Amino acid sequence: MIPSVLPTYNRAPLSFVKGEGSWLIDTEGRRFLDLCAGIATTSLGHANPDLVAALTEQANAVWHVSNLYTIPQQQKLADMLVENTFADTVFFTNSGTEACELAVKMARKHQHDAGHPEKTQILTFTGNFHGRSSAAIAASGTEKMAKGFEPLLPGFTILPFGDLDAVKAAANETTAAILIEPIQGEGGIRPLPDDQLKALREICDATGALLIFDEVQCGMGRTGRLFAHEWSGVTPDIMMVAKGIGGGFPLGAVMATEHAASGMVAGTHGSTYGGNPLGCAVGAKVMEIVTSDGFLDDVNRKAGMLRQKLEGLVAAHPDVFDHVRGQGLMLGLVCKPAVQAADVVKAGYAQEMLLVPAAENTVRLLPALTIGDDELAETVTRLDRAAASLDMTQPA
Ligand SMILES: *Cc1c(COP(=O)(O)O)cnc(C)c1O
């Protein structure tokens, strides 16, 4: 009999009843060290008092009014995002998937209104993840997500990750945009080298295509800069964000330059809940904290410390781990072929620690950006024990 919850997830047999910073407490009172953070979502920790206060204050005032009216909390958050980034304008969504939908629509509308209705094709890359809608699965290079759901939405060309020659060959007069994650999350914490991001920008400039970055997972302070692309100096025309931007409250956004967004006039897009007072009140508080003096410096300091400790862990368990990759507090432990990332995650549960598997046999570490130094030390202690438990189960 089908379960009452549609079984589209392989769930671990764990249920959490309370969160405190980097800790989740389960139904049996066990305290788990949370390096998953709702998959890079509760980026300021569980039950963050500032976020709880922002949410409850707004909840006591007004929850929902509709985008038929001006929403002050939405205006405030949009102003903060515009002030701190490349973007001139922002549309709020409830999720990353919805941000993907709008990013694609916006790029095509831009080309259409610029007198290029033939420019409809979106170039994307293997291993990308943009969500589960029809557009998002068509845009992803992953057969697992698309198989059985055909016909897929046309208009997407999937190119091999990291293959610039393939991009040069594919970019032509029909290309509307190139869509990429500066650091792939689900794809296994795979960063695209800066010179490749620069080359994509040049290809876009040469062909009139727009550059879309998906920073749903790598954005909002995760890599130690407000947005990951800032490390490369390459600026997109359109950017999708979600996950960490709401600190655990459902919130997403598409940010864009005036040039890219110029076709999106009244009536071209909408959302009932998008940009609601609750989400935007929390989002504004998240932005205030992440952009506050010294916050990202501290993320970078902690990231350096964690990375160094993880390098040591890899050296201590060469049969389990291959190498560390990623940036800031978005780190991946790539496992040796004989070890499954899912088994490392399971071994983590036995140490009361939450890790996330990803493609390419990678274990993701995506702790709250507010994680403490002592908790980072504890992370490595527990990882060491988890790895040791796997060392012992390896055949001699
Ligand atoms: C999670 C994710 C999405 C989808 O976001 P949802 O909020 O789950 O719809 C899109 N892109 C990337 C890079 C993601 O990590």
Side-chain angles (χ1 to χ4, degrees), residues 301-363:
R301 182 191 61 78
K302 289 185 290 197
M305 195 168 92
L306 178 59
R307 178 138 197 158
Q308 196 177 17
K309 288 183 183 184
L310 291 178
E311 303 282 2
L313 181 84
V314 170
H317 299 280
D319 295 337
V320 178
F321 300 120
D322 193 84
H323 65 282
V324 189
R325 64 187 183 192
Q327 177 117 45
L329 290 175
M330 181 177 189
L331 294 171
L333 281 165
V334 182
C335 300
K336 279 280 158 66
V339 175
Q340 294 302 304
D343 292 335
V344 177
V345 173
K346 237 186 233 165
Y349 294 148
Q351 302 302 327
E352 301 185 350
M353 168 176 59
L354 305 177
L355 302 161
V356 204
E360 297 225 310
N361 209 21
T362 303
V363 175

Side-chain angles (χ1 to χ4, degrees), residues 64-69 71 74 91-95 98 250-253 269-280:
H64 182 79
V65 293
S66 158
N67 283 305
L68 293 171
Y69 314 106
I71 299 172
Q74 187 183 124
F91 183 94
F92 292 103
T93 66
N94 308 291
S95 69
E98 288 167 79
L251 181 66
H269 198 64
S271 169
T272 294
Y273 280 127
N276 68 78
L278 292 173
C280 289

Side-chain angles (χ1 to χ4, degrees), residues 199-379:
L200 293 181
R201 179 73 267 175
E202 283 160 16
I203 292 167
C204 285
D205 292 343
T207 60
L210 297 178
L211 185 58
I212 307 173
F213 284 162
D214 180 345
E215 291 223 17
V216 169
Q217 193 159 148
C218 62
M220 215 53 200
R222 177 58 47 195
T223 66
R225 300 290 287 265
L226 186 56
F227 291 103
H229 69 263
E230 294 171 20
W231 288 109
S232 69
V234 177
T235 306
D237 302 292
I238 300 173
M239 183 166 73
M240 300 153 50
V241 291
K243 293 204 166 98
I245 187 178
F249 197 89
L251 181 66
V254 172
M255 304 168 53
T257 62
E258 182 166 14
H259 175 72
S262 56
M264 302 305 295
V265 297
T268 54
H269 198 64
S271 169
T272 294
Y273 280 127
N276 68 78
L278 292 173
C280 289
V282 176
K285 185 53 79 177
V286 170
M287 260 303 273
E288 190 186 308
I289 293 170
V290 174
T291 58
S292 66
D293 253 7
F295 183 89
L296 290 174
D297 292 338
D298 197 48
V299 169
N300 284 311
R301 182 191 61 78
K302 289 185 290 197
M305 195 168 92
L306 178 59
R307 178 138 197 158
Q308 196 177 17
K309 288 183 183 184
L310 291 178
E311 303 282 2
L313 181 84
V314 170
H317 299 280
D319 295 337
V320 178
F321 300 120
D322 193 84
H323 65 282
V324 189
R325 64 187 183 192
Q327 177 117 45
L329 290 175
M330 181 177 189
L331 294 171
L333 281 165
V334 182
C335 300
K336 279 280 158 66
V339 175
Q340 294 302 304
D343 292 335
V344 177
V345 173
K346 237 186 233 165
Y349 294 148
Q351 302 302 327
E352 301 185 350
M353 168 176 59
L354 305 177
L355 302 161
V356 204
E360 297 225 310
N361 209 21
T362 303
V363 175
R364 274 180 284 179
L365 279 80
L366 305 159
L369 307 181
T370 50
I371 192 167
D373 290 8
D374 47 345
E375 289 160 340
L376 287 174
E378 185 63 28
T379 296

